[in-house]
Amino acid sequence: MSPTASSIGLRQLLMVLGDSLVEVQAAPAGLDVDIRGVSLLDPEDPPTAQPGDLVLVIGARGRAAFPALRAAGRDGAAAVVVKLDGPGQAAALSETAAEAGVALLSLRSEARWEQVNALARAALDDAPPGEPGMGAEEGDLFSLAQTTAILTSGIVSIEDAANRVLAYSRTTDSDEADDLRRRSILGWQGPEGYLAKLREWGVFQHLHSSDEVIGIDSHPELGIRRRLAVAIRSGDRQLGTIWVQEGSIPLSERSRQALLGAARVAALHLVRRRREPSDEVTLTRTLLAGLLDGSTGPQPLATHLGFDATRPAAVLGFSYGTTEAYETPGGAAAPELTHSEVTNLVSVHIAARHRSALVTQVDPRIYVLLPQMPRGIDTDTLRGWTQEITDAARRHLGLPLRGSVGCLVSRLGDVPESRREADRILDAMVSAGVTVAVAALPDIQAEVLVSEILTLLAARPEIRDPRLTALVSHDSRHRGRLAETLLTYLNSFGDIRAAAAQLHVHPNTLRYRLRRAEQLTGLDLSRPDQRLLAMLQLRLPPTG
């Protein structure tokens, strides 16, 4: 075993490996157990394992794996991977795995052990240290492949320049994948016969010389379904290819645009991987975070990434909550989302629009920095880009993402001003219950300013009217509705009948409550300043 400071949940590891390689036969402790290392068990070695191991039983098929299963359970291993000789063996092995308290995965007969070993170790290497069950880190190619599959409604694989498979999306129906995809994943590389056909059709020549998406028609006689492909490029150099195969449903209308964005995100990942990725990525994130919060000037990031700090820039902000019940367009409950899935969706869409865009997460929000903006880009354009992203999040993830457009600033050094404006908008969208998904400051300026006044009132009890505080306290003690009635009346411009209808009470009942509120507090509702203060202060939560 090669020990690691990181761990990954079994559920996340299964997403990385995919059902094209392994199948769960038994999981007596569920899928949330942590994998902390990988062990290779040779038939000539004694069957031993370490706590938290994923044990690859390389030399023992079927019933010959019983000793390894029992030893794995005894030693505290998390899961065991075996190959089956026939369908009848799964039940007996699953029963033994359940007794041993260890998960059992079966490896497809055509798959190679070194592929599973490499993928599992790569997933562990990418997992954040000391955070069990977190899965692959933000920006992981498997996560990007899955996001691209969602956006295109297709089946995605990402390959390097030598046509070796680096990552692929999960599929729920094995019949959706055509023969080319199955053989590419199981063999970890495109089969030479199929590659020869793609060369013959000029696909590779196009990918080598162009950034544009190319379509490949369906060829049922060869077991090939319709495809789209795009090169992953860094300057003039091709780093790899993203392939999207059409499954049981047609590819989405915006598949080509999504592929362009995915290729640019993948290029960043592959370039960073070649340049000692952890140091490169960490430095970029640190400089970007410092620029956004104003603790670092613009020059370090501009020098690091080659940006022109004198050109205009802007910040987009995104937030989402998990407290409400949402559904996907098909009616099913919204999937459990990870930060990386949402970040990848934002990254893919914005990269298709602006090549230099940087995306980062500062919990619980996601920010997009748009440096060196070209001429002709205005707030309306940025609002449209942001709307595309929120629409995609609702359509593909069942997620009501909120988006804000910070002000356009004349140079990179003024980015903190744009970020502050994006935050002001998001704060108001939540506190004021704004129903639009995307806004710039002119769209909801009144809501933003009222929200900030209420924040000030909440933080400064000394500038509140004690009579209104007493009214709220009275309602709390006596389960009354005097404060609610007063606020509804004021919000209705003093229209008794409209306020009564909104509260579902008789107008005389509403008049009585208003007189009672004045008697209890000494308020004089004929005075405009007292009405104004009441309209503001009564909007505070009761605990305020």
Side-chain angles (χ1 to χ4, degrees), residues 303-325:
T303 302
H304 176 56
L305 296 178
F307 290 159
D308 183 349
T310 66
R311 290 176 58 183
V315 173
L316 310 180
F318 296 91
S319 69
Y320 62 96
T322 56
T323 56
E324 301 173 69

Side-chain angles (χ1 to χ4, degrees), residues 123-143:
L124 279 167
D125 289 342
D126 281 342
E131 298 184 33
M134 288 296 291
E137 69 174 2
E138 176 184 298
D140 174 69
L141 284 178
F142 279 93
S143 179

Side-chain angles (χ1 to χ4, degrees), residues 147 151 265 316 318 340-352 359 366-368 389 393 401:
T147 298
L151 295 176
V265 175
L316 310 180
F318 296 91
S340 63
E341 285 178 301
V342 182
T343 303
N344 274 332
L345 183 143
V346 174
S347 299
V348 167
H349 271 271
I350 202 63
V359 180
I366 296 169
Y367 296 98
V368 176
I389 292 171
L401 197 64

Side-chain angles (χ1 to χ4, degrees), residues 499-522:
Q502 189 173 337
L503 292 170
H504 305 291
V505 299
H506 193 276
N508 287 338
T509 301
L510 188 136
R511 292 188 181 94
Y512 167 78
R513 290 181 183 176
L514 292 176
R515 288 195 301 270
R516 181 65 176 151
E518 287 183 302
Q519 292 167 357
L520 284 172
T521 62

Side-chain angles (χ1 to χ4, degrees), residues 246-280:
E246 190 171 71
S248 58
I249 62 174
L251 297 177
S252 66
E253 293 181 3
R254 298 189 177 181
S255 292
R256 290 176 178 267
Q257 180 180 331
L259 263 186
L260 287 173
R264 292 173 182 174
V265 175
L268 293 174
H269 184 90
L270 294 180
V271 168
R272 288 166 182 165
R273 175 184 288 186
R274 294 184 180 197
R275 297 179 182 171
E276 298 296 333
S278 58
D279 293 341
E280 179 90 6

